[in-house]
């Protein structure tokens, strides 16, 4: 399983940003995690599923609420990942009003989930294999902090914890 000090696995995630108005949206676009994280400080959080209660009512809204503070504390970007497809992630982000603030990155085939070992098996409950709920402070592709939740909880991977960790681990 992923641990502090490890490199963020180099996998391809997908990003889809729905267009506003009558414009045609393009994508989804591939995002190479190694290239996208290079030279940046990323507040990364993973959720089991878009549009689910804990993810939609607590986890994602907390990162949006703390957006300005996270940026002021040194986050270059905020990434949300889930084992949903890019279209679901894009429209979930649009519904939550995060466009331009939080990158909604789809791990539809579970490449990041498998590479990190941050897996939540909900087979038999109608959900299949999902990403565990977690957050990680990533600096230049390396894991600085990692917070993995117990199933059904949002206590250590929340935005307030990430903000405290950013402040405790300033850029060198």
């Amino acid at each position: 399983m992923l641990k502090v000090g490890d490199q963020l696995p180099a996998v391809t995630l997908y990003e889809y940003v729905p267009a506003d108005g009558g414009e045609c949206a393009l994508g989804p676009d591939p995002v190479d995690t190694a290239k996208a994280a290079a030279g940046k400080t990323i507040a990364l959080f993973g959720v089991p599923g878009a549009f689910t209660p804990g993810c939609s009512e607590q986890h994602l809204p907390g990162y949006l609420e703390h957006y300005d503070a996270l940026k002021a504390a040194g986050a270059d970007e905020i990434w949300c990942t889930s084992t949903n497809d890019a279209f679901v992630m894009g429209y979930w982000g649009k519904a939550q009003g995060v466009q331009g603030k939080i990158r909604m990155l789809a791990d539809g085939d579970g490449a990041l989930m498998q590479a990190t070992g941050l897996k939540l098996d909900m087979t038999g409950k109608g959900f299949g294999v999902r990403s565990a709920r977690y957050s990680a402070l990533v600096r230049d592709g390396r894991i600085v902090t990692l917070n993995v939740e117990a199933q059904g909880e949002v206590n250590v991977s929340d935005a307030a914890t990430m903000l405290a960790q950013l402040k405790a681990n300033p850029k060198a």
Side-chain angles (χ1 to χ4, degrees):
M1 178 158 70
L2 189 70
K3 62 186 178 311
V4 171
D6 288 350
Q7 281 292 127
L8 182 67
V11 300
T12 300
L13 301 176
Y14 291 88
E15 185 172 33
Y16 176 76
V17 179
D20 288 327
E23 300 173 26
C24 288
L26 300 175
D29 296 318
V31 176
D32 178 315
T33 57
K35 289 179 184 174
K40 296 178 186 168
T41 297
I42 310 294
L44 165 67
F45 66 105
V47 299
F51 292 104
T52 58
C55 303
S56 293
E57 295 168 10
Q58 291 180 276
H59 215 174
L60 182 57
Y63 279 86
L64 183 58
E65 177 184 335
H66 287 84
Y67 172 80
D68 290 331
L70 290 163
K71 294 288 284 189
D76 295 308
E77 295 182 3
I78 301 169
W79 295 1
C80 175
T81 67
S82 182
T83 45
N84 293 103
D85 67 64
F87 298 111
V88 169
M89 290 296 287
Y91 280 102
W92 183 41
K94 184 175 183 176
Q96 292 280 327
V98 304
Q99 290 178 303
K101 294 185 176 185
I102 299 173
R103 294 186 74 179
M104 304 299 285
L105 301 176
D107 188 22
D109 62 5
L112 182 62
M113 174 198 56
Q114 294 293 340
T116 61
L118 296 168
K119 179 168 69 170
L120 177 62
D121 189 350
M122 298 179 76
T123 306
K125 297 177 183 168
F127 297 103
V129 178
R130 301 286 184 117
S131 170
R133 185 181 306 281
Y134 67 92
S135 68
L137 175 56
V138 181
R139 187 161 287 131
D140 195 24
R142 189 163 303 281
I143 306 301
V144 176
T145 66
L146 179 63
N147 313 292
V148 181
E149 295 284 2
Q151 187 172 344
E153 296 187 11
V154 184
N155 296 318
V156 298
S157 64
D158 61 307
T161 299
M162 177 59 65
L163 180 57
Q165 291 174 339
L166 271 162
K167 289 178 179 179
N169 294 282
K171 290 182 183 179

